[in-house]
Amino acid sequence: MDIRRLGVVGGVGPLAVAHFYQRLIQLTPAVEDDEHLEVVLVAERVPSRIAYLRGVGPSPVPALLRAAKHLEAAGVDALVIPSATTHAFRDDVARAVGVPVLDLLAEVGAVLAGRGFRRPVFLATAPTARLRLYEPHLRAGTRPLYPSAAAQRRVDALIDGVKRGEPVETLRAGLAELIAAGPWPIGADCVVLACTELPVIAPRGDVGPLPLVDVTEVLADAVLARRPLPARR
């Protein structure tokens, strides 16, 4: 699959989606403006996926399908959904369009396997953790780990803070403190920032004994791996 024009489903954490686009640009080995991918972003007002999965809100699927169909009509080569929780509905989107929909969860699973991580700690929304959304995409023998109930509440509070637009540096300090303090289950070998709000406030540098896996960066790398090389000038 060659991706020259990328479709981005927005409205699934607006700041997280903007951060994905920023990282896509920053990671592109471009010298000139026209060496970057063509990107079409459609941001519908998508109802909370977290609320729906908790049984207290409307379905986000109609809005997601509208966005996907607008992007398909714009001639994109593939779609991305820069939200892990929204991948609970990825199959609905994939069935509604005729272009590929990259799977963030599968890409993360492949990266974990490639880096030899077998005991990852997933910091994600409570529904993502409860539904074990990442687990079907992990290599056999990988044992996914999750925060304690108290730590999960702190993770959820940080995610909500990003969505509310709270000061990034304050939230970054809170996430760094959480990662450094743990304590993580015995045998954990990495911490996955498994909700795309968390890379927005990712700590700078090492803040604990475990390496971090940034899922937004994984998704951007997956897109760029499918980008045709620009013609030599």
Side-chain angles (χ1 to χ4, degrees), residues 13-180:
L15 192 54
V17 173
H19 180 68
F20 164 75
Y21 184 37
Q22 180 182 39
R23 292 301 291 146
L24 184 69
I25 293 169
Q26 291 169 335
L27 293 168
T28 300
V31 177
E32 301 291 344
D33 292 345
D34 62 357
E35 292 176 0
H36 286 273
L37 286 171
E38 298 177 23
V39 175
V40 183
L41 190 155
V42 173
E44 293 275 346
R45 292 191 177 188
V46 183
S48 169
R49 285 74 59 215
I50 294 173
Y52 178 76
L53 292 170
R54 287 174 172 163
V56 294
S59 172
V61 171
L64 292 171
L65 298 191
R66 285 196 302 272
K69 289 176 179 178
H70 283 314
L71 291 166
E72 183 179 30
V76 302
D77 299 308
L79 302 181
V80 293
I81 307 170
S83 164
T85 303
T86 308
H87 274 63
F89 313 100
R90 177 193 168 275
D91 289 349
D92 296 291
V93 174
R95 284 192 293 266
V97 295
V99 295
V101 181
L102 270 66
D103 192 327
L104 167 63
L105 310 183
E107 296 293 343
V108 170
V111 166
L112 293 175
R115 296 183 188 175
F117 294 133
R118 305 297 292 273
R119 299 292 184 269
V121 179
F122 286 95
L123 304 187
T125 63
T128 296
R130 175 174 54 81
L131 295 172
R132 302 295 197 256
L133 291 181
Y134 280 95
E135 294 191 16
H137 306 282
L138 302 179
R139 174 185 285 180
T142 300
R143 180 187 172 194
L145 306 170
Y146 298 92
S148 66
Q152 181 64 55
R153 288 192 291 271
R154 292 180 66 187
V155 171
D156 289 335
L158 291 166
I159 293 169
D160 290 343
V162 174
K163 290 181 177 294
R164 286 193 298 265
E166 294 178 7
V168 168
E169 290 306 319
T170 301
L171 295 170
R172 179 174 286 122
L175 180 57
E177 180 184 7
L178 174 64
I179 292 170

